């Protein structure tokens, strides 16, 4: 018998988030203020009015406008800190968060400015909210392998305790994914973990290139994975994590309703799935909202949500000892919450 958790309970469940973009997780009111401060003219009075999308390209257009608001290191620090505060309020204790410097570099903002702001925001949020955050530099796939390599070279100069991975974002249509084998191989040699947005809008064969040729450690979205069962078996066998973002897929128009999302079927096949908000503020959600939506749309109960939280720890790039410790802390908290909320205890096997 599936027993759903109350909204209060869902919000309190400790969580890990692995697929969220700092620019898309910034409050529209803050961005509008920053644009005003920076003398940036926006095409709309209220940025939030742009937050309705007719496809991925349209979404990336809105994303570019969001990025235009950010100019100084202090701007980046503010939105990083704020987005981590919002995450903290959603129960997130550990986050691996993307940033997309390509949008800033195109406008002549130095990489160093972006990085300094992000790193300061992460550090301040740790002090203020106890939330731990690592960063992932997202290369812009449509720009090709040359600019990707340049960004990876810049990443080498960052604090490697904070910058742990390289990702690949922004559309798949017409992108030659095989061209990223070399820069991503280089990134791995330099000690970075790698992930890539694969099959957000593209076919399952994009995931195959990512997993088999580029050798990514993780897959973001992986929407059409189950259309290739050989590949699914491989992903399950190797336990390549897939970070899904159901609300994002609906908001961007990839599917009509959350209940059509393949995540439950992926989990049934044994895929290591985590639930994520992707661009929290641009979709008007946080991770607690997303957990609640998933609970309702997929017919999940409290135990499923707890399992998803544990799956996210397992999918993270923490070392094994830290994962074990975090799972222990989370399950202890799960039991406390169950007792506070009048739910039966559960035996957790870790
Ligand atoms: Zn994303």
């Amino acid at each position: 018998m599936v027993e759903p958790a109350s909204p209060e309970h869902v919000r309190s469940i400790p969580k890990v988030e692995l697929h969220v973009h700092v620019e898309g997780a910034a409050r529209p009111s803050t961005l509008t203020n920053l644009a005003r401060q920076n003398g940036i003219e926006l095409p709309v009075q209220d940025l939030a009015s742009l937050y309705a999308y007719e496809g991925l390209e349209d979404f990336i257009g809105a994303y570019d406008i969001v990025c235009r608001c950010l100019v100084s290191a202090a701007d980046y620090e503010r939105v990083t800190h704020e987005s981590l505060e919002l995450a903290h309020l959603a129960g997130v204790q550990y986050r691996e968060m993307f940033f997309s410097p390509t949008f800033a570099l195109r406008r002549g903002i130095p990489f160093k400015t972006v990085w300094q702001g992000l790193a300061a925001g992460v550090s301040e949020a740790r002090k203020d909210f106890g939330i731990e955050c690592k960063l992932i530099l997202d290369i812009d796939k449509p720009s090709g392998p040359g600019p990707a390599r340049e960004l990876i070279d810049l990443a080498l100069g960052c604090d490697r305790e904070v910058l742990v991975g390289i990702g690949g974002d922004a559309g798949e249509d017409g992108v030659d994914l095989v061209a990223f084998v070399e820069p991503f191989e280089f990134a791995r040699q330099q000690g970075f973990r790698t992930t890539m947005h694969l099959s957000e809008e593209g076919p399952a064969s994009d995931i195959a290139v990512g997993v088999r040729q580029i050798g990514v450690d993780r897959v973001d979205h992986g929407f059409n994975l189950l259309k290739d069962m050989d590949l699914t078996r491989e992903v399950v066998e190797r336990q390549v994590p897939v970070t899904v973002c159901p609300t994002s897929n609906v908001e961007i128009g990839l599917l009509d309703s959350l209940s059509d999302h393949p995540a439950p079927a992926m989990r049934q096949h044994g895929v290591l799935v985590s639930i994520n908000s992707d661009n929290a503020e641009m979709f008007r959600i946080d991770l607690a909202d997303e957990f609640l939506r998933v609970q309702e749309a997929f017919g999940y109960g409290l135990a499923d949500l707890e399992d998803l939280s544990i799956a996210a720890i397992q999918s993270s790039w923490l070392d094994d000892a830290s994962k074990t410790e975090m799972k222990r802390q989370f399950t202890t908290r799960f039991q406390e919450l169950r007792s506070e909320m009048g739910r039966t205890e559960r035996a957790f096997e870790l």
Side-chain angles (χ1 to χ4, degrees):
M1 177 52 189
V2 173
E3 284 185 273
S6 68
E8 185 196 356
H9 194 163
V10 171
R11 190 155 284 275
S12 304
I13 292 174
K15 302 172 188 73
V16 162
E17 185 161 39
L18 306 171
H19 182 163
V20 56
H21 304 261
V22 64
E23 300 89 347
R27 279 195 184 107
S29 55
T30 300
L31 291 165
T32 308
N33 279 338
L34 291 175
R36 205 168 297 138
Q37 244 176 54
N38 292 323
I40 307 285
E41 206 151 318
L42 295 176
V44 285
Q45 275 285 335
D46 174 15
L47 210 59
S49 65
L50 283 178
Y51 292 1
Y53 319 102
E54 283 165 23
L56 188 55
E57 209 176 315
D58 188 46
F59 171 78
I60 293 170
Y63 202 87
D64 182 48
I65 294 169
V66 160
C67 292
R68 271 189 241 164
C69 305
L70 305 170
V71 174
S72 67
D75 298 347
Y76 278 94
E77 179 178 347
R78 181 164 165 200
V79 294
T80 303
H81 184 265
E82 270 188 17
S83 89
L84 290 170
E85 179 181 16
L86 293 171
H88 163 70
L89 295 172
V92 178
Q93 300 200 357
Y94 174 73
R95 183 185 252 191
E96 290 169 6
M97 180 158 68
F98 293 112
F99 68 105
S100 303
T102 304
F103 292 91
L105 295 175
R106 275 187 199 136
R107 300 189 322 275
I109 294 168
F111 180 82
K112 208 173 143 196
T113 302
V114 176
W115 176 255
Q116 277 176 348
L118 293 166
V122 164
S123 160
E124 288 302 307
R126 183 187 301 115
K127 276 186 243 155
D128 293 342
F129 316 117
I131 186 170
E132 192 63 44
C133 178
K134 304 288 181 190
L135 293 168
I136 308 170
L137 189 159
D138 240 345
I139 61 110
D140 181 79
K141 296 206 295 297
S143 298
R149 173 58 196 259
E150 283 168 27
L151 281 176
I152 295 165
D153 284 338
L154 288 169
L156 292 173
C158 296
D159 178 353
R160 301 289 298 276
E161 284 293 310
V162 184
L163 183 56
V164 295
I166 303 293
D169 196 7
E172 293 167 273
D173 264 355
V175 172
D176 172 20
L177 289 173
V178 179
F180 294 98
V181 168
E182 240 180 75
F184 272 60
E185 173 66 28
F186 173 72
R188 254 192 313 280
Q189 284 166 2
Q190 300 301 317
F192 287 112
R193 306 302 296 267
T194 57
T195 185
M196 200 177 257
H197 284 50
L198 295 164
S199 187
E200 180 177 9
E201 57 174 1
S205 55
D206 283 0
I207 307 171
V209 173
V211 170
R212 293 174 177 155
Q213 291 178 259
I214 304 175
V216 289
D217 298 304
R218 203 153 71 196
V219 170
D220 300 312
H221 289 298
F223 191 78
N224 291 308
L225 174 64
L226 298 179
K227 297 214 168 117
D228 180 340
M229 284 320 293
D230 281 340
L231 180 62
T232 302
R233 274 187 286 276
E234 195 176 326
V235 163
V236 170
E237 218 171 270
R238 289 168 51 188
Q239 286 288 283
V240 179
V242 178
T243 68
V244 305
C245 311
T247 290
S248 164
N249 297 149
V250 173
E251 287 277 331
I252 289 178
L254 291 171
L255 78 169
D256 293 333
S257 131
L258 277 188
S259 53
D260 297 334
H261 198 279
M266 286 179 183
R267 290 183 73 217
Q268 272 168 6
H269 279 94
V271 179
L272 184 58
V273 169
S274 61
I275 301 287
N276 301 272
S277 68
D278 201 1
N279 293 284
E281 286 292 305
M282 289 182 80
F283 303 137
R284 301 166 297 278
I285 55 164
D286 63 21
L287 190 56
D289 299 327
E290 190 67 346
F291 266 50
L292 257 183
R293 286 180 182 204
V294 155
Q295 175 173 252
E296 198 188 326
F298 300 167
Y300 280 174
L302 172 59
D304 289 296
L305 300 185
E306 291 167 342
D307 290 345
L308 283 165
S309 238
I310 297 295
I313 298 176
Q314 187 57 31
S315 305
S316 78
W317 292 334
L318 291 164
D319 61 40
D320 286 345
S322 305
K323 283 183 185 177
T324 304
E325 175 55 19
M326 193 176 282
K327 286 178 193 170
R328 194 193 60 71
Q329 286 174 6
F330 274 33
T331 50
T332 303
R333 184 67 190 136
F334 292 164
Q335 297 290 28
E336 283 171 10
L337 282 169
R338 279 177 173 260
S339 143
E340 283 167 30
M341 305 283 170
R343 302 287 300 249
T344 47
E345 280 213 359
R346 179 182 175 198
F348 288 98
E349 283 171 43
L350 295 180

